[in-house]
Amino acid sequence: MTTATIENDTRKEKAEARKAIREAVKFQKKLEAVKAQPRLESLTITIEWKKSRMWGMNPHATGEARTTEGMRLVGTATASGYGYCKGSTVIADLFNQFLRHKLYDSDILARLAIEKPYGISLTKDENKYLSRFDGGIGEDCYSDISKAIGGTWKRLANTKSVDVYEYREISK
């Protein structure tokens, strides 16, 4: 082996180590942001179904969250394509935007260890992926998911072009 080969191998190893450190720091920042999400009283999700020439009806959802401090937060989500439940995909997106921190709460994790409803993915490798709510699973699954994370789930309105749901935190 020549010195040039050894130097190149060393450079590659150092570059890979730097990359791993950058990825770990990036992941840690994401995790801290999730854990710092504001605590909610309620989340109202309004789904408007809009016509698409290619994919039929696509959901455009708006989530209005009310925090325990009285703030109002708004998030949006959309989905397109076919072959899966687009409605539950936008609901999952909004749950992840506002309620993902609950998947790191020790009391909820203890409950989920006993019985975890379909639609919650808890990470096994803590350094690569965040726990999340899954989409494409059917809107009815969110009743069980809401109960598992300490809330209630209710359909407030259902028309041909609009669905309205409400997640409400159960007071302790």
Side-chain angles (χ1 to χ4, degrees):
M1 223 180 208
T2 66
T3 9
T5 308
I6 294 171
E7 285 178 16
N8 284 340
D9 289 346
T10 305
R11 283 186 191 145
K12 286 179 186 177
E13 289 171 4
K14 287 181 180 178
E16 288 173 7
R18 286 191 306 270
K19 182 180 178 184
I21 291 169
R22 280 194 309 273
E23 288 176 357
V25 168
K26 185 178 174 182
F27 178 82
Q28 194 60 37
K29 285 180 182 178
K30 282 183 185 178
L31 182 59
E32 288 171 14
V34 165
K35 289 181 177 182
Q37 286 177 326
R39 302 319 185 232
L40 302 185
E41 282 182 7
S42 66
L43 172 63
T44 304
I45 298 174
T46 304
I47 302 174
E48 281 185 73
W49 292 91
K50 296 185 179 182
K51 182 89 172 126
S52 163
R53 281 191 223 179
M54 177 77 82
W55 306 115
M57 299 298 279
N58 288 337
H60 293 256
T62 303
E64 182 179 322
R66 298 278 177 187
T67 68
T68 53
E69 293 86 32
M71 289 175 39
R72 178 180 167 263
L73 306 171
V74 177
T76 60
T78 60
S80 64
Y82 64 94
Y84 67 101
C85 179
K86 294 183 267 188
S88 68
T89 299
V90 294
I91 292 170
D93 192 346
L94 291 167
F95 263 52
N96 285 323
Q97 288 178 42
F98 295 110
L99 296 167
R100 197 178 214 171
H101 68 274
K102 292 190 151 282
L103 300 178
Y104 293 93
D105 180 285
S106 58
D107 293 338
I108 292 171
L109 285 173
R111 261 186 275 155
L112 293 176
I114 297 167
E115 184 179 357
K116 182 179 71 135
Y118 183 66
I120 292 179
S121 291
L122 299 175
T123 57
K124 291 182 175 62
D125 184 356
E126 285 294 321
N127 297 317
K128 286 190 177 181
Y129 305 104
L130 292 171
S131 295
R132 70 183 186 283
F133 297 100
D134 296 326
I137 59 170
E139 296 161 21
D140 293 337
C141 291
Y142 278 88
S143 178
D144 291 337
I145 289 170
S146 296
K147 192 185 306 180
I149 62 171
T152 61
W153 181 250
K154 192 186 319 182
R155 176 180 274 170
L156 301 178
N158 177 264
T159 68
K160 204 172 194 176
S161 61
V162 176
D163 292 320
V164 181
Y165 298 95
E166 181 184 59
Y167 168 85
R168 187 165 290 283
E169 194 68 29
I170 296 174
S171 301
K172 290 183 178 182

